[in-house]
Structures are given as structure tokens and as C-alpha cells.
Amino acid sequence: MDAAVRAVEGCAGIGAIIRNEEGKVMVAAVYKRTFLDDVEFSEAEAIFKGLQLALEVGLTPLIVESDCLNVANLVAHNLARLAFVYPDSTVWLEETPQELSCLL
């Protein structure tokens, strides 16, 4: 889970990838949010949305990874940036966006 911010535009993108115990992607999603002048808040919102998504699709228990915990997460950050490309919130079940295929 990660957030990308465009402060000048006042928006944040949130991305989440949920994998099973074998590492297979089960769900990927991006969400567009209003940036409230606090990157840490956007990161926390990304974690919240990821947990909410996992519960909605019944993927528990889970382990959370986020760069706000000082863990580099290139895939989630690039996923979060896709929120600026897609016009609406988007969810992928058992697949990932084609734009990320080279990172997985």
C-alpha cells in the first residue's frame, strides 16, 4: 500500500496490491483522494483503504507493507501513481494493471 501526492494539484493517489501466501496477486486497486497537505495522512489512508479492500474481498489474515514504515515499495508507489491516469477508482481481481507487469 502506498500513496503518491501531487500537492500543487491538491490530489493524492492511493495504491494497494494484495497477494496470497504464494505471492500471487489477488487484488490490485487505485483510488484518487484529495490531498490534505499531509503526506503521512495520505500514507495512513492508503493503509486503511488496503485493509478495507482486503476485508471486502475476504483476504485475511494479511501482512501490511508500506514505505511509510521505511520499507521501499516501488510497485505500490507506481500503482498509486496510476490513480492519476484512471478516471475513477479501479480494482483488479486476480490480475494487475498492464502498466505494472514489468515490475512484478
Side-chain angles (χ1 to χ4, degrees):
M1 294 156 219
D2 198 14
V5 171
R6 288 190 176 171
V8 174
E9 296 173 25
C11 66
I14 292 173
I17 292 180
I18 301 173
R19 301 174 184 263
N20 67 11
E21 62 278 356
E22 297 167 355
K24 180 183 175 199
V25 174
M26 303 305 291
V27 180
V30 295
Y31 305 94
K32 225 180 250 184
R33 294 287 181 257
T34 301
F35 178 58
L36 301 175
D37 259 352
D38 185 348
V39 173
E40 292 296 322
F41 179 84
S42 294
E43 295 283 359
E45 190 174 22
I47 292 171
F48 177 78
K49 287 299 291 180
L51 291 171
Q52 192 175 44
L53 179 62
L55 291 172
E56 286 173 9
V57 298
L59 296 173
T60 57
L62 61 123
I63 297 170
V64 174
E65 293 182 8
S66 171
D67 66 359
C68 73
L69 301 173
N70 296 323
V71 177
N73 194 335
L74 178 63
V75 175
H77 183 72
N78 281 287
L79 182 62
R81 291 179 56 172
L82 286 178
F84 303 126
V85 175
Y86 288 86
D88 297 308
S89 297
T90 305
V91 175
W92 295 265
L93 287 174
E94 297 188 21
E95 62 181 351
T96 58
Q98 185 176 6
E99 296 91 339
L100 298 181
S101 61
C102 65
L103 298 173
L104 299 171

